[in-house]
């Protein structure tokens, strides 16, 4: 046990000899830290961040950034989402906006503690992109990206219509039949049946529909942060297994 204020000598093994020369040349301190139990393992890190007012460039979601958190610094590809409370699902953000707090989700080592500072830096210029603190370590955070499919009515009669250009095969119509429809004029409805073989379908609404209305369908897809180097070993094993399976199939008579 080392008491506070006590001088110690640390011998570091496996460090290049030119590292000390570079530290002396750049006049930067050598910081040594210790990890708690399990802090060498990878998990999903969520942090509350806000874009720096001094950074003028756009910050796209899942683009490579340099993340500094606690004593470690690594390349990450964060997925940005809305900072909403009392919600189990959160909307995906394609860009980081100035003056608004967002949540950055990344694959990173376990980091224990409250309000651990986080900085996102530009990997090329090292400019500060965003800053904040760690929110939690939870892979259960659900980030959803919304996609809207649209179609146009070609035949209208009171509350029902025949719609085209949303799908292009009757199989797709049957697959998305349970999903509700909505229009730009505020009506809601659902698909009744496919019509023909080119993706047309019949649908009904709660109110009479107009010829110049637009039929829409909202779809949601779960989004994950992109890994940088965290799963290279697993990907190599999967590629090797896939290549072995393909070789076995070719050798079969």
């Amino acid at each position: 046990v080392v008491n506070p204020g006590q001088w110690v000598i640390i011998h570091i093994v496996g460090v290049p000899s030119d590292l000390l020369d570079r530290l002396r040349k750049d006049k930067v301190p050598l910081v040594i830290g210790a990890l708690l139990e399990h802090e060498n393992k990878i998990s999903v890190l969520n942090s509350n961040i806000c874009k720096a007012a001094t950074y003028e460039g756009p910050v796209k979601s899942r683009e490579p950034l340099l993340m500094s958190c606690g004593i470690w610094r690594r390349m990450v590809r964060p997925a940005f989402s809305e900072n909403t409370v009392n919600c189990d699902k959160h909307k995906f953000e394609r860009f980081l906006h100035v003056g608004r707090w967002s949540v950055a989700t990344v694959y990173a080592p376990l980091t224990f503690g409250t309000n651990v500072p986080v900085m996102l830096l530009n990997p090329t210029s090292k400019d500060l992109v965003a800053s904040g603190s760690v929110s939690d370590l939870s892979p259960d955070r659900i980030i959803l990206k919304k996609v809207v499919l649209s179609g146009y009515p070609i035949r209208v009669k009171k509350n029902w219509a025949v719609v085209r250009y949303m799908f292009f095969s009757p199989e797709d119509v049957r697959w998305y039949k349970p999903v509700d429809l909505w229009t730009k004029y505020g009506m809601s409805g659902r698909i009744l049946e496919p019509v023909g073989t080119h993706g047309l379908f019949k649908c009904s609404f709660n109110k009479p529909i107009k010829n110049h209305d637009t039929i829409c369908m909202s779809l949601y897809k779960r989004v994950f942060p992109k890994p940088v180097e965290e799963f290279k070993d697993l990907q190599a094993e999967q590629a090797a297994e896939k290549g072995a399976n393909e070789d076995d199939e070719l050798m079969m008579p």
Side-chain angles (χ1 to χ4, degrees), residues 61-62 77-81 92-93 103-106 143 223-225:
S61 186
R62 300 197 290 181
R77 303 183 72 175
F80 303 127
S81 59
F92 173 72
E93 292 184 343
V103 176
T105 303
V106 301
I143 305 175
V223 179
F224 299 91

Side-chain angles (χ1 to χ4, degrees), residues 5-240:
Q6 183 178 356
W7 289 92
V8 297
I9 298 176
I10 300 176
H11 297 274
I12 304 176
V13 181
V15 179
S17 59
D18 60 340
L19 177 61
L20 184 59
D21 298 333
R22 285 185 295 174
L23 292 175
R24 290 174 177 174
K25 181 179 178 181
D26 298 337
K27 295 182 180 181
V28 295
L30 177 62
V31 180
I32 300 176
L35 298 178
L36 298 176
E37 187 179 5
H38 305 302
E39 282 195 338
N40 60 330
K41 299 180 180 179
I42 298 295
S43 182
V44 179
L45 176 69
N46 301 309
S47 55
N48 296 321
I49 61 170
C50 184
K51 185 179 178 181
T54 56
Y55 191 80
E56 299 179 354
V59 183
K60 191 176 180 181
S61 186
R62 300 197 290 181
E63 287 294 313
L65 292 173
L66 186 62
M67 186 174 190
S68 178
C69 177
I71 64 171
W72 57 262
R73 178 177 288 188
R74 63 190 292 126
M75 292 294 298
V76 295
R77 303 183 72 175
F80 303 127
S81 59
E82 290 184 343
N83 187 12
T84 52
V85 295
N86 299 326
C87 296
D88 58 347
K89 299 177 181 63
H90 310 272
K91 185 179 178 182
F92 173 72
E93 292 184 343
R94 290 180 171 84
F95 291 91
L96 192 63
H97 301 278
V98 180
R100 188 171 71 186
W101 287 89
S102 302
V103 176
T105 303
V106 301
Y107 295 115
L110 288 171
T111 303
F112 298 114
T114 58
N115 296 327
V116 180
V118 172
M119 292 190 300
L120 292 177
L121 308 175
N122 188 299
T124 305
S125 61
K126 302 298 187 294
D127 293 335
L128 179 64
V129 175
S131 61
S133 60
V134 174
S135 174
D136 58 5
L137 293 163
S138 175
D140 299 328
R141 181 180 178 87
I142 300 177
I143 305 175
L144 297 179
K145 179 168 64 174
K146 183 178 179 181
V147 178
V148 178
L149 304 181
S150 61
Y152 304 94
I154 56 174
R155 288 198 298 271
V156 174
K157 184 178 181 182
K158 295 184 179 179
N159 289 23
W160 66 267
V162 177
V163 181
R164 64 177 176 180
Y165 295 151
M166 183 178 291
F167 305 108
F168 296 92
S169 67
E171 290 79 11
D172 292 341
V173 176
R174 297 187 186 95
W175 179 264
Y176 291 102
K177 185 177 179 180
V179 184
D180 293 334
L181 302 173
W182 55 275
T183 72
K184 291 189 175 180
Y185 282 87
M187 273 76 80
S188 60
R190 60 184 309 161
I191 298 174
L192 297 179
E193 58 182 359
V195 177
T197 60
H198 297 284
L200 280 68
F201 61 90
K202 184 185 293 186
C203 55
S204 63
F205 296 90
N206 59 339
K207 296 179 182 179
I209 188 173
K210 301 178 181 179
N211 285 314
H212 57 278
D213 206 343
T214 303
I215 317 299
C216 301
M217 175 185 290
S218 298
L219 301 177
Y220 297 89
K221 175 185 177 182
R222 187 173 181 181
V223 179
F224 299 91
K226 288 186 177 181
V228 180
E229 296 182 353
E230 291 81 5
F231 307 113
K232 277 190 174 181
D233 296 338
L234 180 60
Q235 292 173 353
E237 292 178 2
Q238 292 177 349

